[in-house]
Amino acid sequence: MYRIPILRMGEFLLVTIQVDMQDQTAMALQDDLAEKIASSGARGVLIDISALEIVDSFVGRMLASISGIARILDATTVVVGMQPAVAITLVELGLSLEGVRTALNVELGMDLLQRTRQETRLVR
Protein backbone atom coordinates (compact mmCIF):
# COMPACT_ATOMS: atom_id res chain seq x y z
CA MET A 1 0.00 0.00 0.00
CA TYR A 2 1.22 3.50 -0.88
CA ARG A 3 1.91 5.83 2.07
CA ILE A 4 1.78 9.59 1.68
CA PRO A 5 4.90 11.31 3.05
CA ILE A 6 4.53 13.70 5.99
CA LEU A 7 7.24 16.36 6.26
CA ARG A 8 7.98 18.44 9.32
CA MET A 9 8.55 22.17 8.82
CA GLY A 10 9.21 23.74 12.21
CA GLU A 11 6.06 23.39 14.30
CA PHE A 12 3.99 22.37 11.30
CA LEU A 13 3.54 19.22 9.21
CA LEU A 14 3.27 19.35 5.42
CA VAL A 15 1.41 16.71 3.44
CA THR A 16 1.42 16.91 -0.34
CA ILE A 17 -0.95 14.44 -1.93
CA GLN A 18 0.34 13.66 -5.42
CA VAL A 19 -1.80 10.60 -6.21
CA ASP A 20 -5.52 9.97 -6.38
CA MET A 21 -6.33 8.67 -2.94
CA GLN A 22 -7.89 5.27 -2.54
CA ASP A 23 -9.83 4.57 0.64
CA GLN A 24 -6.96 2.58 2.20
CA THR A 25 -4.47 5.36 1.46
CA ALA A 26 -6.77 7.95 3.05
CA MET A 27 -7.22 5.83 6.18
CA ALA A 28 -3.47 5.26 6.44
CA LEU A 29 -2.87 9.01 6.10
CA GLN A 30 -5.32 9.69 8.91
CA ASP A 31 -3.52 7.21 11.19
CA ASP A 32 -0.06 8.40 10.19
CA LEU A 33 -0.94 12.05 10.75
CA ALA A 34 -2.45 11.39 14.17
CA GLU A 35 0.70 9.55 15.20
CA LYS A 36 3.02 12.21 13.77
CA ILE A 37 1.12 15.08 15.43
CA ALA A 38 1.22 13.32 18.79
CA SER A 39 4.89 12.30 18.55
CA SER A 40 6.19 15.61 17.19
CA GLY A 41 3.97 18.06 19.05
CA ALA A 42 3.15 19.77 15.74
CA ARG A 43 0.79 22.74 16.06
CA GLY A 44 -0.44 22.74 12.48
CA VAL A 45 -0.99 20.51 9.46
CA LEU A 46 -1.01 21.78 5.90
CA ILE A 47 -2.51 19.38 3.36
CA ASP A 48 -1.86 20.25 -0.29
CA ILE A 49 -4.44 18.63 -2.57
CA SER A 50 -3.63 20.66 -5.69
CA ALA A 51 -2.75 17.49 -7.62
CA LEU A 52 -6.13 15.88 -6.92
CA GLU A 53 -8.64 16.17 -9.70
CA ILE A 54 -11.25 13.98 -8.02
CA VAL A 55 -12.31 13.77 -4.38
CA ASP A 56 -15.10 11.37 -3.49
CA SER A 57 -17.29 11.52 -0.41
CA PHE A 58 -15.06 9.12 1.53
CA VAL A 59 -11.92 11.20 0.97
CA GLY A 60 -13.89 14.36 1.77
CA ARG A 61 -15.04 12.86 5.07
CA MET A 62 -11.45 11.77 5.78
CA LEU A 63 -10.21 15.34 5.35
CA ALA A 64 -12.84 16.50 7.85
CA SER A 65 -11.91 13.64 10.18
CA ILE A 66 -8.20 14.44 9.96
CA SER A 67 -9.01 18.04 10.88
CA GLY A 68 -11.04 16.90 13.88
CA ILE A 69 -8.29 14.57 15.08
CA ALA A 70 -5.69 17.32 14.67
CA ARG A 71 -7.89 19.76 16.61
CA ILE A 72 -8.18 17.30 19.50
CA LEU A 73 -4.38 17.00 19.44
CA ASP A 74 -4.08 20.83 19.58
CA ALA A 75 -3.16 21.33 15.93
CA THR A 76 -4.84 23.39 13.22
CA THR A 77 -5.45 21.89 9.77
CA VAL A 78 -5.39 23.90 6.55
CA VAL A 79 -6.22 22.33 3.18
CA VAL A 80 -4.75 24.15 0.19
CA GLY A 81 -4.84 23.91 -3.58
CA MET A 82 -8.41 22.70 -3.97
CA GLN A 83 -9.39 22.62 -7.63
CA PRO A 84 -12.72 24.33 -8.47
CA ALA A 85 -14.18 21.02 -9.71
CA VAL A 86 -13.28 19.38 -6.38
CA ALA A 87 -14.96 22.20 -4.43
CA ILE A 88 -18.08 21.90 -6.57
CA THR A 89 -18.17 18.12 -6.11
CA LEU A 90 -17.83 18.40 -2.32
CA VAL A 91 -20.68 20.91 -2.16
CA GLU A 92 -22.86 18.75 -4.42
CA LEU A 93 -22.17 15.78 -2.11
CA GLY A 94 -23.29 17.91 0.83
CA LEU A 95 -19.83 17.95 2.44
CA SER A 96 -19.00 21.38 3.81
CA LEU A 97 -15.78 20.15 5.51
CA GLU A 98 -16.80 21.86 8.71
CA GLY A 99 -13.81 22.77 10.84
CA VAL A 100 -11.41 22.51 7.91
CA ARG A 101 -9.67 25.78 7.11
CA THR A 102 -8.71 26.39 3.49
CA ALA A 103 -6.35 28.58 1.50
CA LEU A 104 -5.66 28.93 -2.20
CA ASN A 105 -2.03 27.77 -2.14
CA VAL A 106 0.79 26.55 0.11
CA GLU A 107 2.16 30.04 0.75
CA LEU A 108 -1.21 31.40 1.89
CA GLY A 109 -1.83 28.22 3.88
CA MET A 110 1.45 28.60 5.78
CA ASP A 111 0.61 32.25 6.46
CA LEU A 112 -2.77 31.16 7.85
CA LEU A 113 -1.12 28.54 10.09
CA GLN A 114 1.39 31.14 11.34
CA ARG A 115 -1.36 33.68 12.11
CA THR A 116 -3.48 31.04 13.85
CA ARG A 117 -0.50 29.96 15.93
CA GLN A 118 0.26 33.56 16.94
CA GLU A 119 -3.38 34.12 17.93
CA THR A 120 -3.29 30.94 20.01
CA ARG A 121 -0.16 32.11 21.82
CA LEU A 122 -1.82 35.44 22.67
CA VAL A 123 -4.86 33.69 24.13
CA ARG A 124 -2.79 31.39 26.34
Side-chain angles (χ1 to χ4, degrees):
M1 173 179 51
Y2 180 78
R3 292 211 107 67
I4 296 173
I6 301 170
L7 305 173
R8 181 154 186 171
M9 297 182 67
E11 15 178 40
F12 305 129
L13 300 176
L14 173 63
V15 178
T16 302
I17 301 171
Q18 298 292 319
V19 296
D20 285 330
M21 291 211 313
Q22 304 299 319
D23 292 356
Q24 283 183 313
T25 306
M27 291 178 67
L29 176 60
Q30 175 181 288
D31 294 343
D32 293 346
L33 263 174
E35 175 61 35
K36 190 77 168 182
I37 293 167
S39 67
S40 69
R43 296 294 175 221
V45 177
L46 189 135
I47 303 174
D48 179 6
I49 63 168
S50 58
L52 294 183
E53 294 181 18
I54 299 172
V55 172
D56 64 14
S57 62
F58 182 80
V59 173
R61 284 191 309 272
M62 275 299 169
L63 289 172
S65 178
I66 286 168
S67 179
I69 291 166
R71 198 169 34 256
I72 289 170
L73 295 171
D74 197 26
T76 302
T77 302
V78 176
V79 174
V80 302
M82 188 176 299
Q83 302 290 335
V86 169
I88 291 167
T89 300
L90 290 175
V91 170
E92 287 175 348
L93 291 171
L95 298 172
S96 63
L97 297 185
E98 205 164 315
V100 178
R101 301 184 87 173
T102 59
L104 290 177
N105 57 44
V106 172
E107 182 179 0
L108 293 174
M110 281 297 193
D111 287 345
L112 179 56
L113 282 174
Q114 290 285 356
R115 282 194 318 272
T116 302
R117 183 70 179 132
Q118 289 171 351
E119 291 168 6
T120 303
R121 285 182 184 145
L122 293 175
V123 172
R124 291 185 180 173

